[in-house]
mmCIF file of all heavy atoms in Angstrom:
data_model
loop_
_atom_site.group_PDB
_atom_site.id
_atom_site.type_symbol
_atom_site.label_atom_id
_atom_site.label_comp_id
_atom_site.label_asym_id
_atom_site.label_seq_id
_atom_site.Cartn_x
_atom_site.Cartn_y
_atom_site.Cartn_z
ATOM 1 N N LYS A 17 -56.289 -65.389 -94.703
ATOM 2 C CA LYS A 17 -54.982 -65.215 -94.079
ATOM 3 C C LYS A 17 -54.178 -64.142 -94.823
ATOM 4 O O LYS A 17 -53.517 -63.344 -94.178
ATOM 5 C CB LYS A 17 -54.252 -66.567 -94.069
ATOM 6 C CG LYS A 17 -54.742 -67.522 -93.032
ATOM 7 C CD LYS A 17 -53.914 -68.772 -93.047
ATOM 8 C CE LYS A 17 -54.337 -69.752 -91.999
ATOM 9 N NZ LYS A 17 -53.548 -71.021 -92.008
ATOM 10 N N THR A 39 -46.952 -47.742 -71.655
ATOM 11 C CA THR A 39 -45.633 -48.337 -71.455
ATOM 12 C C THR A 39 -45.461 -48.804 -69.990
ATOM 13 O O THR A 39 -45.748 -48.094 -69.058
ATOM 14 C CB THR A 39 -44.581 -47.275 -71.731
ATOM 15 O OG1 THR A 39 -44.688 -46.871 -73.037
ATOM 16 C CG2 THR A 39 -43.157 -47.867 -71.535
ATOM 17 N N VAL A 54 -31.432 -68.876 -40.913
ATOM 18 C CA VAL A 54 -31.212 -70.071 -40.136
ATOM 19 C C VAL A 54 -30.278 -69.802 -39.047
ATOM 20 O O VAL A 54 -29.436 -68.926 -39.031
ATOM 21 C CB VAL A 54 -30.667 -71.223 -41.076
ATOM 22 C CG1 VAL A 54 -31.704 -71.654 -42.052
ATOM 23 C CG2 VAL A 54 -29.327 -70.809 -41.689
ATOM 24 N N ALA A 61 -31.699 -78.045 -39.347
ATOM 25 C CA ALA A 61 -32.010 -76.663 -39.727
ATOM 26 C C ALA A 61 -32.163 -76.544 -41.177
ATOM 27 O O ALA A 61 -33.011 -75.795 -41.694
ATOM 28 C CB ALA A 61 -30.874 -75.766 -39.232
ATOM 29 N N LYS A 67 -38.287 -76.607 -46.308
ATOM 30 C CA LYS A 67 -39.741 -76.552 -46.331
ATOM 31 C C LYS A 67 -40.297 -75.127 -46.296
ATOM 32 O O LYS A 67 -41.181 -74.810 -47.116
ATOM 33 C CB LYS A 67 -40.316 -77.325 -45.120
ATOM 34 C CG LYS A 67 -40.103 -78.837 -45.142
ATOM 35 C CD LYS A 67 -40.771 -79.496 -43.946
ATOM 36 C CE LYS A 67 -40.575 -81.032 -44.024
ATOM 37 N NZ LYS A 67 -41.227 -81.668 -42.840
ATOM 38 N N MET A 77 -45.347 -68.200 -56.657
ATOM 39 C CA MET A 77 -45.830 -68.631 -57.924
ATOM 40 C C MET A 77 -47.316 -68.745 -58.155
ATOM 41 O O MET A 77 -47.876 -68.691 -59.163
ATOM 42 C CB MET A 77 -45.140 -69.932 -58.326
ATOM 43 C CG MET A 77 -43.669 -69.834 -58.531
ATOM 44 S SD MET A 77 -42.803 -71.367 -59.116
ATOM 45 C CE MET A 77 -43.711 -71.698 -60.673
ATOM 46 N N LEU A 84 -51.694 -72.813 -50.200
ATOM 47 C CA LEU A 84 -50.921 -73.606 -49.242
ATOM 48 C C LEU A 84 -51.729 -74.591 -48.555
ATOM 49 O O LEU A 84 -51.225 -75.545 -47.925
ATOM 50 C CB LEU A 84 -50.176 -72.675 -48.269
ATOM 51 C CG LEU A 84 -49.206 -71.604 -48.895
ATOM 52 C CD1 LEU A 84 -48.694 -70.685 -47.825
ATOM 53 C CD2 LEU A 84 -48.076 -72.310 -49.712
ATOM 54 N N LEU A 100 -36.142 -79.680 -55.233
ATOM 55 C CA LEU A 100 -34.973 -78.785 -55.003
ATOM 56 C C LEU A 100 -33.939 -79.044 -56.155
ATOM 57 O O LEU A 100 -33.581 -80.092 -56.468
ATOM 58 C CB LEU A 100 -34.355 -79.126 -53.649
ATOM 59 C CG LEU A 100 -33.191 -78.208 -53.250
ATOM 60 C CD1 LEU A 100 -33.722 -76.798 -52.950
ATOM 61 C CD2 LEU A 100 -32.563 -78.852 -51.952
ATOM 62 N N ARG A 101 -33.481 -77.891 -56.715
ATOM 63 C CA ARG A 101 -32.455 -77.955 -57.744
ATOM 64 C C ARG A 101 -31.085 -77.714 -57.127
ATOM 65 O O ARG A 101 -30.138 -78.323 -57.478
ATOM 66 C CB ARG A 101 -32.755 -76.904 -58.869
ATOM 67 C CG ARG A 101 -33.941 -77.219 -59.686
ATOM 68 C CD ARG A 101 -34.115 -76.238 -60.807
ATOM 69 N NE ARG A 101 -32.974 -76.291 -61.739
ATOM 70 C CZ ARG A 101 -32.795 -75.489 -62.728
ATOM 71 N NH1 ARG A 101 -33.629 -74.560 -63.000
ATOM 72 N NH2 ARG A 101 -31.686 -75.588 -63.505
ATOM 73 N N TYR A 197 -47.538 -33.148 -46.848
ATOM 74 C CA TYR A 197 -49.006 -33.094 -46.710
ATOM 75 C C TYR A 197 -49.759 -33.755 -47.859
ATOM 76 O O TYR A 197 -50.852 -34.262 -47.684
ATOM 77 C CB TYR A 197 -49.452 -31.631 -46.456
ATOM 78 C CG TYR A 197 -50.777 -31.592 -45.880
ATOM 79 C CD1 TYR A 197 -51.024 -31.937 -44.584
ATOM 80 C CD2 TYR A 197 -51.919 -31.193 -46.643
ATOM 81 C CE1 TYR A 197 -52.278 -31.862 -43.979
ATOM 82 C CE2 TYR A 197 -53.171 -31.170 -46.112
ATOM 83 C CZ TYR A 197 -53.415 -31.488 -44.764
ATOM 84 O OH TYR A 197 -54.632 -31.437 -44.254
ATOM 85 N N SER A 215 -41.372 -44.082 -63.228
ATOM 86 C CA SER A 215 -41.898 -44.956 -64.326
ATOM 87 C C SER A 215 -42.346 -46.299 -63.759
ATOM 88 O O SER A 215 -41.895 -47.364 -64.226
ATOM 89 C CB SER A 215 -40.772 -45.177 -65.371
ATOM 90 O OG SER A 215 -40.407 -43.975 -65.984
ATOM 91 N N GLN A 279 -70.132 -28.437 -52.929
ATOM 92 C CA GLN A 279 -70.850 -27.149 -53.128
ATOM 93 C C GLN A 279 -69.885 -25.962 -52.936
ATOM 94 O O GLN A 279 -70.218 -24.840 -53.271
ATOM 95 C CB GLN A 279 -71.967 -26.980 -52.135
ATOM 96 C CG GLN A 279 -73.070 -28.035 -52.345
ATOM 97 C CD GLN A 279 -74.187 -27.919 -51.360
ATOM 98 O OE1 GLN A 279 -74.099 -27.189 -50.385
ATOM 99 N NE2 GLN A 279 -75.204 -28.697 -51.513
ATOM 100 N N VAL A 290 -61.656 -43.539 -45.910
ATOM 101 C CA VAL A 290 -62.494 -44.116 -46.940
ATOM 102 C C VAL A 290 -62.996 -43.024 -47.851
ATOM 103 O O VAL A 290 -62.869 -41.790 -47.601
ATOM 104 C CB VAL A 290 -63.688 -44.793 -46.340
ATOM 105 C CG1 VAL A 290 -63.366 -45.991 -45.446
ATOM 106 C CG2 VAL A 290 -64.545 -43.831 -45.503
ATOM 107 N N LYS A 303 -64.688 -34.637 -58.686
ATOM 108 C CA LYS A 303 -64.740 -33.662 -57.563
ATOM 109 C C LYS A 303 -65.335 -34.366 -56.309
ATOM 110 O O LYS A 303 -66.536 -34.391 -56.077
ATOM 111 C CB LYS A 303 -65.617 -32.485 -57.944
ATOM 112 C CG LYS A 303 -65.021 -31.640 -59.098
ATOM 113 C CD LYS A 303 -65.797 -30.438 -59.336
ATOM 114 C CE LYS A 303 -65.088 -29.562 -60.384
ATOM 115 N NZ LYS A 303 -65.836 -28.326 -60.620
ATOM 116 N N LYS A 412 -46.648 -70.822 -87.560
ATOM 117 C CA LYS A 412 -47.640 -71.442 -88.527
ATOM 118 C C LYS A 412 -47.407 -70.957 -89.923
ATOM 119 O O LYS A 412 -47.525 -71.672 -90.888
ATOM 120 C CB LYS A 412 -49.039 -70.939 -88.087
ATOM 121 C CG LYS A 412 -50.145 -71.562 -88.800
ATOM 122 C CD LYS A 412 -50.546 -72.925 -88.212
ATOM 123 C CE LYS A 412 -51.820 -73.429 -88.851
ATOM 124 N NZ LYS A 412 -52.206 -74.761 -88.265
ATOM 125 N N THR A 429 -58.126 -66.101 -73.189
ATOM 126 C CA THR A 429 -57.566 -65.083 -74.019
ATOM 127 C C THR A 429 -57.412 -63.740 -73.217
ATOM 128 O O THR A 429 -56.555 -62.981 -73.480
ATOM 129 C CB THR A 429 -58.458 -64.772 -75.269
ATOM 130 O OG1 THR A 429 -59.793 -64.576 -74.850
ATOM 131 C CG2 THR A 429 -58.401 -66.027 -76.172
ATOM 132 N N THR A 435 -51.407 -60.609 -69.587
ATOM 133 C CA THR A 435 -50.000 -60.893 -69.391
ATOM 134 C C THR A 435 -49.122 -60.113 -70.394
ATOM 135 O O THR A 435 -48.118 -59.576 -70.050
ATOM 136 C CB THR A 435 -49.734 -62.406 -69.608
ATOM 137 O OG1 THR A 435 -50.546 -63.149 -68.697
ATOM 138 C CG2 THR A 435 -48.306 -62.797 -69.436
#
Side-chain angles (χ1 to χ4, degrees):
K17 284 183 178 179
T39 302
V54 293
K67 290 184 179 181
M77 291 184 62
L84 302 176
L100 186 66
R101 292 186 61 184
Y197 198 72
S215 301
Q279 297 178 350
V290 296
K303 295 186 175 181
K412 187 83 171 181
T429 53
T435 303

